[in-house]
Amino acid sequence: AQKVTQAQTEISVVEKEDVTLDCVYETRDTTYYLFWYKQPPSGELVFLIRRNSFDEQNEISGRYSWNFQKSTSSFNFTITASQVVDSAVYFCALDGGGATNKLIFGTGTLLAVQP
Amino acid sequence: NAGVTQTPKFQVLKTGQSMTLQCAQDMNHEYMSWYRQDPGMGLRLIHYSVGAGITDQGEVPNGYNVSRSTTEDFPLRLLSAAPSQTSVYFCASSPDRAAWQPQHFGDGTRLSIL
């Protein structure tokens, strides 16, 4: 069975702090894809990043960085120097492919960045 | 470019009423899907379609019907609304069913069943 666990329900930080959002996944597939989506207070879902199971290189995009470790089945997301605009719910998701394209979502982490 | 358009944005129904949530995309995407978002449960897949004329059930299909007569449209029908169907519904699309494709989401429909 496939599963995504985001153990942190809510995180509150003060602006300019660094924050890491945890994501742990379970799958028996050898090929799979991991995603992060952002849901700001306005409600839409915004794609942030995709990572395939064969690429364990960390990725950095501005203040955002992602750490993928197959050994611990984790795909953690770090925001450096957080800003109020980063306040949102962040979802980690897993897609194992197969006959269908099914995203399995974690329950999300609500990040509140205080000014 | 409109992307994925969902209508209505908000709706209140009484128990037992039926209604259709509309979803349209203008990107010529083959794959479309419906999710519901409930507090503490993330997003769960209701139904999906890999192309016109083809639909299949997701994780939580009971109480919902779908059809895919065109590539562009993928409506979700609530046959007899129940309070348990109070949720935020998201439609999503991607070019094809490949697992590496990120999903393009609509803005959601907030549905309340009284």
Side-chain angles (χ1 to χ4, degrees):
Chain A
Q2 297 183 330
K3 185 179 180 181
V4 176
T5 300
Q6 294 180 257
Q8 303 153 309
T9 304
E10 296 185 29
I11 300 176
S12 182
V13 300
V14 177
E15 210 169 16
K16 298 185 182 178
E17 285 186 17
D18 298 345
V19 58
T20 295
L21 309 181
D22 296 333
C23 173
V24 174
Y25 63 92
E26 297 175 26
T27 181
R28 294 181 181 178
D29 294 319
T30 55
T31 301
Y32 53 89
Y33 297 85
L34 295 162
F35 301 82
W36 276 95
Y37 286 85
K38 175 182 180 180
Q39 186 176 42
S42 50
E44 72 273 23
L45 283 156
V46 178
F47 164 71
L48 294 178
I49 191 172
R50 171 190 63 220
R51 172 67 69 225
N52 74 57
S53 53
F54 297 105
D55 182 3
E56 290 194 67
Q57 282 191 345
N58 292 332
E59 182 155 342
I60 299 175
S61 177
R63 296 184 296 107
Y64 295 173
S65 62
W66 290 269
N67 184 320
F68 174 38
Q69 292 193 346
K70 287 182 73 172
S71 60
T72 57
S73 297
S74 65
F75 186 42
N76 296 337
F77 174 28
T78 297
I79 301 174
T80 302
S82 60
Q83 300 176 1
V84 173
V85 293
D86 295 327
S87 297
V89 179
Y90 291 87
F91 290 98
C92 181
L94 165 71
D95 195 325
T100 61
N101 184 356
K102 293 183 181 179
L103 269 180
I104 305 298
F105 281 86
T107 52
T109 297
L110 172 61
L111 174 65
V113 182
Q114 310 295 335
Chain B
N1 220 356
V4 179
T5 302
Q6 291 185 237
T7 56
K9 294 190 184 305
F10 303 93
Q11 184 70 47
V12 178
L13 292 178
K14 294 181 179 179
T15 298
Q17 287 185 315
S18 62
M19 81 159 293
T20 299
L21 307 186
Q22 302 291 344
C23 176
Q25 51 89 11
D26 61 358
M27 299 172 282
N28 201 32
H29 284 176
E30 291 295 324
Y31 183 84
M32 297 185 74
S33 56
W34 277 101
Y35 290 85
R36 58 177 291 173
Q37 182 181 14
D38 301 296
M41 302 189 74
L43 281 80
R44 292 179 293 168
L45 183 66
I46 304 171
H47 284 286
Y48 64 92
S49 169
V50 298
I54 306 170
T55 64
D56 207 344
Q57 296 181 351
E59 182 184 357
V60 288
N62 292 341
Y64 307 96
N65 273 356
V66 292
S67 60
R68 186 92 181 270
S69 56
T70 67
T71 298
E72 295 78 18
D73 300 299
F74 190 44
L76 178 72
R77 297 182 184 85
L78 279 69
L79 308 174
S80 178
S84 61
Q85 294 178 304
T86 294
S87 188
V88 180
Y89 291 85
F90 286 95
C91 179
S93 74
S94 60
D96 53 43
R97 64 186 182 187
W100 63 272
Q101 297 276 10
Q103 297 295 306
H104 299 257
F105 285 89
D107 289 341
T109 294
R110 284 151 183 79
L111 182 62
S112 293
I113 315 296
L114 304 178

